[in-house]
Amino acid sequence: MDPTATGLARSPSEVESEPVVEATPLTSTGVPGDDWWQRGVIYQVYPRSFADSNGDGVGDLPGLVAHLDHLGHGPDGLGVDAIWLSPIYPSPGLDAGYDISDHGAIDPLFGTDADFERLVAEAHRRGIRIILDLVLNHTSDRHPWFVSSRAGRTGPHADWYVWRDPAGRDRSGRPRPPNNWLSFFGGSAWTYEPAREQFYLHTFLTEQPDLDWRSPAVREAQYAMIRGWLDRGADGFRLDVFNALVKDAELRSNPTRGWRRRPWDRQEHRHDKDQPGLREVLCELRAIVDARPGRMTVGELFEGGPAVAATHTADRHLVFDFGLLEQPWAAPAYARAIREREAAFGPGRWPTVVLSNHDRSRTATRLAGSRGDTDEIARAAAVVLLTQRGTPFLYYGEELGLRDVEIPRGEIQDPPARRAGLAFPWWNRDQCRSPMPWTAGPGAGFTTGRPWLRLTPDSAIRNVEAQAADADSILALYRRLIAVRRVTPALNRGDQVLLPAPAAEVLAYLRQAGASVALTVVNFGRRPARFELSTGVATAWRPLVTTHLALPAGFRDGGAVRLGPHEAAVFVPTGAG
Ligand code: NOJ
């Protein structure tokens, strides 16, 4: 598996210097407050793959409701603060729901309006908030707005999408696209519509036309939709590719650069994202969300590193950056990435911590590759996820150490993966979307029918029931980590200092919030590491959480700590809670 071939990632050598975007925060951020979106842990549910209640092989809202206790704050719960639900709206399903034909409704595949209401009520009863995924950049081509828009140049939605006249004709007389922009899913970003004798823009599939966010009517329609979901109890929104909403007003061609593996990377995306007008849209959007106190938003950064993510971050508006996710499992690489994000966000902006999601290879597979110590690395990565400064986003199944599942060609669901090849390298995202294994039984307790995607081949032993019965499982570790994070101010809101590596393969960082102090050390190596715990903050430390219940004998080795291969631990000064 080549983790740089994830389609949504670029290899470090291909990452260019980041574009300059506005540096002013949306509102004055000051020192971050202690809102739930900052202190809490957010769990991503991929609804298709979480739990199926009706035997059609696809996860649904009643299935999620039935499993809320797995996420809640009871003895059998992970103790998460919010669920981010990938899209649940009506969709032809060409991009697994990211091609929406009605942003204001629930796809019958997932349930009814009443099911959504019950989900909100049952989640809230358990102290869990609901964050919806808003795909504002584009719709499905079957959305009534686009059906109307493509029909002609004069209808009520004629200008709701990005339409442009051809740039002349080629030698064969075919209309030429207006500029050189590319679709992230391969090919030109422009498709010709004979009915209008114009091209429309699609940053993703041809069937995902881009809305024109410079149109006041589009904004108003989307804002009305957002108000509707707030009225229905949504606690926040994840904004899909939010930094691509606004395009260059003149639609200028992007500058090209040298050869890269993916055609997309051969352009500098100067004009098709990160445009100055984005801030105005964000301000309008935040004003709507801010009218209901305690609601948050998180923007998915469509490419770009921590520096770009930080400039788009604001009060109650987080921005994903994938700097950590793109590192190999090596202490110096993580140290570099942490230093970079800390420098970009500084003390006044609050980052996110993301090690996996529905677009990327799962942590265990991505970091361990073909090495034999996959579960050990998954455990140590869990410690990083839940102790770094920032809001952790935990992708379903990671709490079991789930791995990518190989999908035979004939079973591919992810559209760009069907056309992957030398000219268009793409990592099949189905591999990280396999159904959640709940029990050892048939269908892994996920479905009584045929699952829409293959189950993980080890579901008989890697499932929630089995791990819940094992006090030293990966699931038990996640529960311990989240519980400790919740009650330790240093971990859930503290600032962070990276310590000089106490040993070659060791990463160590100190978190501090007032009198609360926590020290995390992670051994990235395959050999035990021994080192002195001297930070200047405290002389004596005790472990609060470790990757394994029993640390290797000799843990206290004189005044030093000995960590086993891929072992990680969180320490607090002796005497602290
Ligand atoms: C980003 C989403 O995470 C991805 O799954 C989707 O394919 C694209 N946006 C297009 O909506």
Side-chain angles (χ1 to χ4, degrees):
M1 165 93 41
D2 173 3
T4 61
T6 57
L8 298 173
R10 282 179 292 166
S11 69
S13 62
E14 291 179 353
V15 175
E16 299 292 308
S17 59
E18 296 188 346
V20 178
V21 289
E22 297 149 283
T24 354
L26 187 60
T27 59
S28 142
T29 51
V31 175
D34 63 352
D35 298 319
W36 63 270
W37 51 269
Q38 176 177 337
R39 280 176 286 118
V41 173
I42 299 178
Y43 184 94
Q44 181 186 357
V45 166
Y46 196 66
R48 256 160 232 266
S49 295
F50 198 64
D52 170 25
S53 71
N54 61 5
D56 67 358
V58 179
D60 48 40
L61 298 184
L64 168 56
V65 171
H67 288 86
L68 280 176
D69 286 338
H70 170 66
L71 306 176
H73 298 271
D76 298 328
L78 273 170
V80 305
D81 297 79
I83 294 170
W84 149 29
L85 268 178
S86 282
I88 51 170
Y89 321 101
S91 158
L94 293 181
D95 187 14
Y98 284 89
D99 50 322
I100 297 169
S101 51
D102 181 355
H103 291 74
I106 307 286
D107 191 330
L109 188 67
F110 296 125
T112 60
D113 286 352
D115 291 330
F116 179 74
E117 269 164 40
R118 205 159 69 82
L119 170 65
V120 170
E122 288 296 320
H124 285 176
R125 199 164 67 73
R126 290 169 175 81
I128 302 174
R129 293 173 174 85
I130 297 291
I131 298 174
L132 294 180
D133 205 323
L134 290 184
V135 186
L136 302 174
N137 179 67
H138 46 271
T139 68
S140 158
D141 63 345
R142 312 241 193 107
H143 195 296
W145 298 344
F146 189 70
V147 173
S148 147
S149 191
R150 85 185 315 172
R153 298 189 187 200
T154 53
H157 303 99
D159 299 332
W160 284 37
Y161 293 81
V162 183
W163 291 100
R164 280 297 180 281
D165 292 335
R169 305 246 157 202
D170 66 15
R171 276 204 216 107
S172 340
R174 283 187 301 253
R176 273 187 218 276
N179 66 21
N180 71 351
W181 293 1
L182 294 173
S183 158
F184 191 70
F185 286 165
S188 167
W190 296 96
T191 290
Y192 186 69
E193 172 52 61
R196 289 182 58 135
E197 298 183 336
Q198 280 186 314
F199 282 89
Y200 68 86
L201 178 70
H202 50 91
T203 305
F204 297 94
L205 296 174
T206 309
E207 296 86 354
Q208 290 170 299
D210 282 29
L211 286 160
D212 186 351
W213 273 82
R214 293 186 185 274
S215 151
V218 165
R219 291 190 195 191
E220 267 325 305
Q222 295 285 47
Y223 297 156
M225 175 272 291
I226 292 172
R227 286 191 193 94
W229 286 115
L230 288 169
D231 288 344
R232 294 174 73 177
D235 299 287
F237 302 102
R238 177 256 188 197
L239 311 177
D240 190 68
V241 296
F242 85 108
N243 56 322
L245 291 188
V246 179
K247 277 72 176 180
D248 176 47
E250 296 160 40
L251 300 182
R252 281 168 287 183
S253 280
N254 283 323
T256 52
R257 46 196 199 191
W259 192 88
R260 303 287 193 285
R261 222 152 52 97
R262 285 191 314 168
W264 172 269
D265 295 328
R266 295 173 206 157
Q267 290 190 358
E268 182 199 323
H269 292 275
R270 191 184 293 175
H271 299 305
D272 49 1
K273 60 188 191 69
D274 296 314
Q275 296 303 300
L278 176 63
R279 186 149 300 273
E280 187 185 310
V281 170
L282 268 182
C283 284
E284 291 173 357
L285 206 143
R286 272 303 332 169
I288 293 164
V289 178
D290 278 337
R292 328 284 170 110
R295 315 286 168 102
M296 57 80 78
T297 50
V298 55
E300 182 207 25
L301 193 70
F302 182 39
E303 305 217 305
V308 181
T311 59
H312 290 314
T313 299
D315 281 346
R316 294 168 304 288
H317 178 71
L318 301 171
V319 178
F320 289 142
D321 86 86
F322 302 117
L324 288 176
L325 190 154
E326 286 170 357
Q327 302 311 313
W329 186 245
Y334 268 70
R336 208 177 313 115
I338 290 169
R339 232 175 267 121
E340 196 188 330
R341 56 193 253 116
E342 285 295 304
F345 281 86
R349 290 187 178 127
W350 192 250
T352 61
V353 191
V354 183
L355 292 184
S356 52
N357 64 28
H358 64 291
D359 291 326
R360 312 283 189 133
S361 175
R362 282 193 177 272
T363 311
T365 308
R366 181 169 50 78
L367 295 178
S370 54
R371 303 154 55 145
D373 35 20
T374 316
D375 280 352
E376 303 311 302
I377 293 178
R379 284 171 184 266
V383 173
V384 174
L385 177 73
L386 290 156
T387 60
Q388 266 296 301
R389 184 173 87 98
T391 302
F393 283 76
L394 168 57
Y395 183 49
Y396 85 96
E398 292 287 294
E399 71 271 34
L400 305 175
L402 220 60
R403 300 159 186 200
D404 292 340
V405 175
E406 290 293 324
I407 306 291
R409 208 165 171 83
E411 293 176 21
I412 291 178
Q413 307 276 338
D414 186 24
R418 293 210 191 99
R419 83 174 91 87
L422 272 185
F424 177 62
W426 186 263
W427 181 79
N428 178 11
R429 298 176 297 174
D430 298 336
Q431 295 176 83
C432 66
R433 297 172 176 178
S434 65
M436 180 80 164
W438 294 97
T439 63
F446 164 74
T447 183
T448 53
R450 185 162 183 266
W452 76 286
L453 259 187
R454 281 180 173 231
L455 288 160
T456 179
D458 57 357
S459 64
I461 48 167
R462 191 182 298 278
N463 59 67
V464 174
E465 192 175 55
Q467 293 206 12
D470 173 3
D472 212 5
S473 64
I474 300 183
L475 176 59
L477 168 64
Y478 267 94
R479 287 180 182 168
R480 288 199 300 276
L481 279 166
I482 293 174
V484 156
R485 187 179 190 281
R486 171 173 291 279
V487 297
T488 310
L491 291 178
N492 64 42
R493 74 192 65 175
D495 51 25
Q496 174 168 305
V497 177
L498 197 62
L499 299 177
E505 303 239 45
V506 171
L507 177 77
Y509 47 91
L510 198 63
R511 303 283 313 278
Q512 194 156 5
S516 171
V517 177
L519 169 69
T520 300
V521 285
V522 184
N523 180 9
F524 282 67
R526 306 183 86 171
R527 283 187 300 276
R530 181 186 178 282
F531 54 92
E532 304 289 329
L533 257 188
S534 55
T535 64
V537 174
T539 45
W541 298 84
R542 68 179 175 82
L544 196 57
V545 193
T546 57
T547 36
H548 298 84
L549 286 181
L551 278 168
F555 166 66
R556 295 199 177 283
D557 185 3
V561 169
R562 181 135 42 103
L563 289 180
H566 302 304
E567 194 160 43
V570 184
F571 299 88
V572 288
T574 305

